Amino acid sequence: MRPFEQRAQTIIRRLPPHALAAEIGVLRGQVSECVLQNTDASLIMVDSWLPSDQQPERYKATKDQHAFDPAEIVSKHKREALARVHRFRGRAQIKEMSSVEAASQVEDCTLDLVFIDADHSYEGVREDIAAWFPKVKASGWIGGHDYQNPDARFCFGVDRAVDGWIEETGCTLETDLNFTWWARV
Ligand SMILES: C[S@@+](CC[C@H](N)C(=O)[O-])C[C@H]1O[C@@H](n2cnc3c(N)ncnc32)[C@H](O)[C@@H]1O
């Protein structure tokens, strides 16, 4: 399995039938496509698709390559994502906006699962967890990518943000394929 298929698998096996889920940070839509193809879930796909000159400094400080993508590459990613999920358009809802803005448009306690994979800075992940945790139903799942990723090229704040949130809430942390983290709400 390729890494994006592994990430998708961690989502797929946590979804109940007819689930409503959200992926925060979509990029090219590879994970979204895999989830939509292998489940009957509906998926809210959130990505701001902003070029590097509009990205916050805290995101660039993580050294994530996608914080440095120029406008033409970002447009290509967006076109690719839209094309990948076109055939599922009844079940895919695309929100081209910031994570926090998108969360404000979703009712509390309505999602079966949220997967956070956007701005990997400490502040970014904390903000995304704070914005999306209330959207998840009781016994739903919140999770994300790049927890305990040992790749020294990155300065991700994911571990600190997730560990802090786990300590505050007392939720139980699970790790899964390809550096994903998960907690049942
Ligand atoms: C690591 S990629 C997502 C990869 C995708 N989840 C996958 O597994 O293939 C991160 C994406 O998050 C988006 N992003 C970063 N900060 C964001 C924010 N604050 N709100 C919405 N999207 C954001 C970027 O545009 C980028 O496409």
Side-chain angles (χ1 to χ4, degrees), residues 7 23 25-27 30-31 46-50 55 59 64 66 97-99 115 117-120:
R7 294 196 286 285
E23 182 186 11
V26 167
L27 194 69
Q30 288 172 302
V31 167
V46 179
D47 202 301
S48 49
W49 284 299
L50 288 177
Q55 292 292 8
Y59 185 27
D64 185 332
H66 301 303
M97 60 188 73
S98 81
S99 164
F115 181 66
D117 190 16
D119 171 352
H120 286 35

Side-chain angles (χ1 to χ4, degrees), residues 133-151:
F133 176 47
K135 309 298 163 188
V136 182
K137 291 176 184 171
S139 71
W141 291 93
I142 183 166
H145 190 214
D146 287 312
Y147 182 75
Q148 294 183 341
N149 184 338
D151 193 325

